[in-house]
Amino acid sequence: MSFDKGTLKRPEILNSDSVSKRVVLKGDIDNDVAILIAERTVWPTDPEESNDIYSWYNCADVKLNLIHPATEKHVKKYSKQNISMITETAKAYKEITRPFMAQTREGTIGWVYNILDGKAEQDAVVYRDEEVVGNRHGFVLMKDMKWDGSTLSTLYLVVIANDRDIWSVRDLRKSDANWLESIIEKCTEAVEKKYGLAADKLRFYVHYQPTYYHFHIHVTHAEYAIPGSTTVGRAILLQDIIERLKIGPEDGYESATMTFQLSSEHGLYPLLKN
Amino acid sequence: MSFDKGTLKRPEILNSDSVSKRVVLKGDIDNDVAILIAERTVWPTDPEESNDIYSWYNCADVKLNLIHPATEKHVKKYSKQNISMITETAKAYKEITRPFMAQTREGTIGWVYNILDGKAEQDAVVYRDEEVVGNRHGFVLMKDMKWDGSTLSTLYLVVIANDRDIWSVRDLRKSDANWLESIIEKCTEAVEKKYGLAADKLRFYVHYQPTYYHFHIHVTHAEYAIPGSTTVGRAILLQDIIERLKIGPEDGYESATMTFQLSSEHGLYPLLKN
């Protein structure tokens, strides 16, 4: 479709980010909700351009992305997040967060089991491990859907635990430290073998709160800082988790007091708000 | 000065970042080294523009910053960082990092003492605390020089410890947990009073390795994710540090195994490289 002045009726700004230089507009097109994402493009670094550095100053630098018709879920997703820092005690976890997790898991975690059972997304699987370490039974290392599968500098993989009773970092126990260490070891080896990336170029981290309540670990290129994903307060370094399990009590993260960021749109927010 | 084709001789790309859409070029101008930083500008959100959304698509969207003549230090600062993940054992800290810190501190930490002694940057001080908590003797809360001092969404403050024997998180002991908790409490109160920002809108974190070896805490707006600063693997959430001190041994972080990112340009890199 083509745009001109007035195509998007009643425009309002949903979000504007000063780091990524992205603006998200909401408006109406033909009486349906439309979301228009306008983003500055990445500077071209194609070597054939480098004889004339002023070619970077040209004006073809806006990438537009239109969602139309957009649902309420889209509007929520692209709206500016109102983020607060929340402290969750062991008691609040047990009484509020754990039941919330159980409810959220219902009917929404099947896609994970399909991957584990070999029924879906098998071409994205990088490595499978079935070895029993302590109480745990292996994992699947796969390409995250956010990764293009080839650009090493934006490498994004995810480790999904085979065990279905680890919903989040809260379910990790002291006895899991060795298993987590073996994950780092096996994954760095698999990545080195498949992508030729050295062991010290991988960042392993876990989100709390995570997007879905089946334990998974994010594995990204060490040079790839991703606002919202690698940000401390949402991300916890896997090696720090291992250290904490080792020096802490048998029940691991179950008795911890945890502080993390939470969007006001998150279902837990009204329940945990301090 | 004005630019035209050929002003910058022998241009080469020092860095290009896909998140911030920034490109850094190095070249020569009048036989001196020059660094040219070209960055897409932030989308205008001035309400008077919002009647016509297409005004955002105009071409005046490049911010140029020239450093000329540039020193080797500038070139290093603006070059792409080659980042690796490093694991530092307690032994490596004692034998390698600690002596490196002592050497680095020599003659470079005076500016911090000038702030603490009230001799410099006093207009940037937001709050001073002299209360003795356990073994510690207060702190100074001040505006970070990266903050414009008024835009709340990019608020950036820093807490500098009065005690001169805390070089980094490695010097924190179990007995410091209460002191660190009191810092969070006092700073959130001071920020709420001065800037009207609610207590749950602040992210407290510490860098390891830090930029300078005198203990300081970063305090930023919860919604402000800053690649390179809030990134897990460099940043550790202050509340996680407090938790670790509470459940861990008396000697706190001295005996910890720590994993963090390190640029290959960092003086410690060749010494700690695993």
Side-chain angles (χ1 to χ4, degrees), chain A residues 125-138:
Chain A
V125 171
V126 174
Y127 178 77
R128 260 183 194 278
D129 176 77
E130 308 283 345
E131 195 194 347
V132 178
V133 181
N135 304 320
R136 303 303 179 189
H137 303 83

Side-chain angles (χ1 to χ4, degrees), chain A residues 139 179-191 204:
Chain A
F139 61 89
W179 175 61
L180 295 170
E181 278 183 334
S182 76
I183 291 178
I184 295 178
E185 202 178 308
K186 286 165 180 170
C187 289
T188 51
E189 203 175 301
V191 169
F204 290 82

Side-chain angles (χ1 to χ4, degrees), chain B residues 63-109:
Chain B
K63 195 173 71 182
L64 291 178
N65 189 1
L66 180 72
I67 302 170
H68 175 250
T71 64
E72 188 49 41
K73 214 170 167 180
H74 287 117
V75 173
K76 227 174 181 176
K77 180 176 172 189
Y78 287 101
S79 295
K80 182 162 175 56
Q81 306 267 303
N82 187 348
I83 290 173
S84 300
M85 301 305 293
I86 296 284
T87 294
E88 179 194 73
T89 60
K91 187 168 177 282
Y93 167 66
K94 197 180 162 195
E95 294 175 2
I96 298 167
T97 309
R98 182 83 186 170
F100 175 87
M101 288 178 174
Q103 193 181 17
T104 307
R105 280 171 53 89
E106 256 173 57
T108 65
I109 219 82

Side-chain angles (χ1 to χ4, degrees), chain A residues 128-163:
Chain A
R128 260 183 194 278
D129 176 77
E130 308 283 345
E131 195 194 347
V132 178
V133 181
N135 304 320
R136 303 303 179 189
H137 303 83
F139 61 89
V140 173
L141 173 67
M142 58 187 299
K143 295 177 209 168
D144 189 278
M145 60 176 184
K146 289 184 285 299
W147 188 38
D148 66 12
S150 62
T151 311
L152 275 190
S153 61
T154 58
L155 179 129
Y156 202 136
L157 307 174
V158 64
V159 171
I160 303 179
N162 278 336
D163 294 279

Side-chain angles (χ1 to χ4, degrees), chain B:
Chain B
M1 75 182 291
S2 72
F3 281 99
D4 58 39
K5 220 171 172 166
T7 302
L8 192 73
K9 312 279 187 208
R10 292 193 300 265
E12 55 177 289
I13 297 170
L14 276 188
N15 200 351
S16 174
D17 180 57
S18 62
V19 174
S20 65
K21 281 95 182 180
R22 191 174 82 151
V23 69
V24 182
L25 301 176
K26 179 178 159 246
D28 293 343
I29 297 177
D30 304 335
N31 296 317
D32 283 319
V33 176
I35 294 175
L36 184 66
I37 303 154
E39 194 166 353
R40 305 289 194 206
T41 54
V42 174
W43 295 88
T45 52
D46 194 324
E48 66 189 2
E49 302 269 83
S50 66
N51 285 326
D52 174 6
I53 62 163
Y54 302 100
S55 57
W56 287 303
Y57 305 175
N58 81 45
C59 295
D61 57 8
V62 174
K63 195 173 71 182
L64 291 178
N65 189 1
L66 180 72
I67 302 170
H68 175 250
T71 64
E72 188 49 41
K73 214 170 167 180
H74 287 117
V75 173
K76 227 174 181 176
K77 180 176 172 189
Y78 287 101
S79 295
K80 182 162 175 56
Q81 306 267 303
N82 187 348
I83 290 173
S84 300
M85 301 305 293
I86 296 284
T87 294
E88 179 194 73
T89 60
K91 187 168 177 282
Y93 167 66
K94 197 180 162 195
E95 294 175 2
I96 298 167
T97 309
R98 182 83 186 170
F100 175 87
M101 288 178 174
Q103 193 181 17
T104 307
R105 280 171 53 89
E106 256 173 57
T108 65
I109 219 82
W111 66 273
V112 177
Y113 296 165
N114 285 340
I115 291 168
L116 297 177
D117 294 340
K119 290 179 192 160
E121 299 184 48
Q122 294 309 292
D123 47 345
V125 172
V126 173
Y127 178 77
R128 260 182 194 280
D129 176 76
E130 307 282 347
E131 195 193 347
V132 178
V133 181
N135 304 318
R136 303 304 180 188
H137 303 82
F139 62 88
V140 173
L141 173 67
M142 61 187 298
K143 295 177 208 168
D144 189 278
M145 59 175 185
K146 289 185 283 299
W147 189 39
D148 66 10
S150 63
T151 310
L152 274 191
S153 61
T154 57
L155 177 127
Y156 203 136
L157 306 175
V158 63
V159 171
I160 303 179
N162 278 336
D163 294 279
R164 300 180 182 198
D165 59 337
I166 325 176
W167 295 1
S168 78
V169 67
R170 279 284 194 185
D171 289 316
L172 294 176
R173 302 289 170 260
K174 195 183 189 72
S175 56
D176 293 326
N178 290 340
W179 175 62
L180 295 170
E181 278 183 332
S182 77
I183 290 177
I184 294 178
E185 201 179 308
K186 286 166 179 169
C187 288
T188 50
E189 201 176 301
V191 169
E192 190 151 16
K193 204 167 159 186
K194 177 143 187 178
Y195 300 109
L197 200 61
D200 63 359
K201 299 305 264 185
L202 294 180
R203 193 186 307 265
F204 290 82
Y205 58 96
V206 171
H207 283 162
Y208 192 72
Q209 299 288 324
T211 307
Y212 53 97
Y213 292 117
H214 178 104
F215 186 64
H216 57 283
I217 301 164
H218 302 257
V219 185
T220 57
H221 193 291
E223 283 158 19
Y224 189 32
I226 314 157
S229 181
T230 51
T231 306
V232 73
R234 183 171 194 216
I236 315 173
L237 201 71
L238 184 57
Q239 287 90 342
D240 286 353
I241 291 174
I242 294 169
E243 266 282 294
R244 196 200 186 283
L245 291 173
K246 283 182 176 174
I247 65 162
E250 292 297 330
D251 70 355
Y253 273 89
E254 191 171 35
S255 57
T257 296
M258 299 190 72
T259 300
F260 49 84
Q261 67 177 52
L262 208 56
S263 158
S264 59
E265 299 292 336
H266 196 288
L268 270 175
Y269 179 76
L271 308 173
L272 287 181
K273 199 176 174 313
N274 302 121

